[in-house]
Amino acid sequence: MITALTGTMTLAFVATGCGSSSDEPASAENPVELTVTTFGNFGYDDLYAEYEEANPGVTIEANNIDGSANARTDAFTKLAAGSGLSDVVAVEEGWLGSIMEVSDQFVDLNEHGAQDIKDNWVDWKFEQGTDPDGRVIGYGTDIGPQALCFNQDLFEEAGFPTDREEVAELFGGDDATWETYFDLGREYNEATGKAWYDQSAFVWNSMVNQMEEGYYTADGALNVEGNEAMRAKFDLLAAGTADGLSANQKQFDWGKGKAFVDGSFAVHVCPAWMLGTIQEQLESAGGGPETGWDVADVFPGGASNWGGAFLSVPESSEQPAEAAKLAAWLTAPEQQVKQSAAANNFPSTLEAQQQIVEDAVPNELFNDAPYGAIFASRAEGVVAQFKGPKDSVIQENVFAPALKILDTGSGTADEAWNEAVKLLNELVVNN
């Protein structure tokens, strides 16, 4: 499924050629159709209808792609073709670095009032959407502070506590470590004979996202080969997987969600947006609150952010002013609160974050967990990691296949790491 562009792709950018732009505001007398492309679960359907009702003359045509990797491929294929991008395009944090390399192909939202609303956002989120020349090319939607999802029924089977606060303490509370995470997995495996986590790649992504510098240094240099700290984390994960802690599931599929209802694994790394993904999987498999999933205010190694998206307006849009207006509206605090309720993600604007904490709406699917308060707590201390141009390629096309070697038991930690280095050189260094 992952077919992200990996090489030196010549982007044959051309002028729009899609018709003349119009600065005339949309109205009943000047109807405008705006196209929007998102991926995964953005929770925008009701918001599209609300916007159309509030803005006579505007019709929204929505396109949703089944995952971030396919959305990246779609975006870069159309950028290379010079046409086809929607008026508003969702960009995921993991491939934001590659978008920044062609940021001049996106509208500078400063020309449409970005500086007037910049204080809406967590400062690092707004800065992430700003290119080195100060052009704002994306309004932040959500962020991905990480908590730990766990299955109450399976924890009870292993003799572990099931109350979410006791579970947080079990993992070490504020002092939770990955070593404790894997040791508890071994205890769980010994007690139940079952796997601890779904597959190694998501655990790995979480571990890397938590580092001060990930696949790239802060100044943009590749940071994998010779990175002893990263290799130590890889070996820690490899040892856990070798001890039977991985269920070797397929990412973003999980047997069409069945693994979330049949006890295949007991814990799952949960950036806030993952709750919406799990919701979709449970619904696909016919599961619900009775499946026992909950979320605890704890994460091994402390604060961490994985993902979050942006809404951008390509220069090829025939209606950049109307598209920028829609992107600003969809990412405004009031709409982020509604999006959070629909998609189970966590807002990137301060006012929206405060609102969902105050509302304290229990999440029925996750044992009535006060998810707003939990993820607000998990967002404390998050520091945005620099994402390089091939960050998502390294995550999805270099390390995911290498880690599959561990999940399938077909190789050692050394062999899996060497495979990652080989793929890194093929797909990134020499491409």
Side-chain angles (χ1 to χ4, degrees), residues 99-100 103 106-107 109 129-131 135-139 311-313:
I99 289 292
M100 284 297 181
S103 62
F106 291 86
V107 169
L109 297 171
T130 304
D131 77 4
R135 301 175 74 254
V136 177
I137 64 163
Y139 288 141
L311 296 185
S312 296
V313 177

Side-chain angles (χ1 to χ4, degrees), residues 28 83-84 128 184 194 254 263 268 300 304 307 313 317 409:
S83 64
Q128 278 186 315
L184 286 170
K194 298 177 181 177
W254 298 283
H268 201 281
S304 174
V313 177
S317 171

